[in-house]
Amino acid sequence: MRRSKPVFDFDEVLASCTRSALHLEMRDAYAVDNETGRYAQWRSGHRFDPADEASWWRPWHTQIAETVARGVEVRRARIVSEPVTEYIRFEFDGSFMNVAAGEQVRWLPRRRASDIALPGNDFWLFDERIVRFGHFTGDGEYTGEEWTEEPTVARLCSTAFGAVWERAVPHEAFKV
């Protein structure tokens, strides 16, 4: 599988953020390691205990916690079909980890997003100026990323994210 070479390094861009890092996810499933990964463990009944942070805290959580500690607002919005897929239930169950690291998480039922102009791909938007699109196959396999600083694209992503965020349900109030 060919992956496009990124223009930026994700970790460096996140580390250089000063105001915001926004992430919009629009798929109902992502390909994950179905044999040994967290999704497989979840499917077999394993659930992480929020009180046992040592069992689930990963470098990603440290990176987000450090970003938030610098005063950067990290927000994640997920547009989901209802009833939700098994994968979305998995993501929902694990979102307490994102919240513990300092992310704000919201969920928007897809039927409530019909009149929002959305980019065709999931994205991260950093400080309202750098966009990283993630590309996936129909089966959810990650195929690469595309970066841009094009102002019109950044505005589209900012406007779309803002509209989704405004309508979305905070994680603690969303029911799967």
Side-chain angles (χ1 to χ4, degrees), residues 86-97:
E86 180 180 54
Y87 187 85
I88 293 300
R89 283 193 303 278
F90 159 71
E91 280 194 329
F92 181 84
D93 284 351
S95 289
F96 75 86
M97 299 177 214

Side-chain angles (χ1 to χ4, degrees), residues 43-153:
R43 290 184 79 207
S44 67
H46 179 268
R47 299 298 183 266
F48 285 102
D49 177 358
D52 183 12
E53 190 175 284
S55 71
W56 53 263
W57 192 269
R58 302 286 185 268
W60 168 253
H61 301 114
T62 299
Q63 187 176 22
I64 291 301
E66 290 170 352
T67 301
V68 171
R70 289 194 330 269
V72 176
E73 184 175 52
V74 180
R75 295 188 286 164
R76 179 185 305 258
R78 293 178 170 133
I79 299 175
V80 297
S81 299
E82 291 181 310
V84 299
T85 63
E86 180 180 54
Y87 187 85
I88 293 300
R89 283 193 303 278
F90 159 71
E91 280 194 329
F92 181 84
D93 284 351
S95 289
F96 75 86
M97 299 177 214
N98 301 78
V99 173
E103 280 190 45
Q104 299 171 54
V105 178
R106 291 190 181 180
W107 303 83
L108 181 64
R110 191 171 308 283
R111 63 182 161 67
R112 295 188 55 213
S114 297
D115 61 343
I116 299 174
L118 298 166
N121 296 289
D122 291 7
F123 65 84
W124 278 91
L125 175 61
F126 302 95
D127 287 338
E128 297 186 2
R129 65 178 191 81
I130 300 174
V131 180
R132 178 204 170 264
F133 289 109
H135 297 293
F136 299 87
T137 67
D139 292 333
E141 291 285 342
Y142 178 76
T143 61
E145 56 195 29
E146 176 184 353
W147 292 82
T148 183
E149 290 183 284
E150 177 61 44
T152 56
V153 175

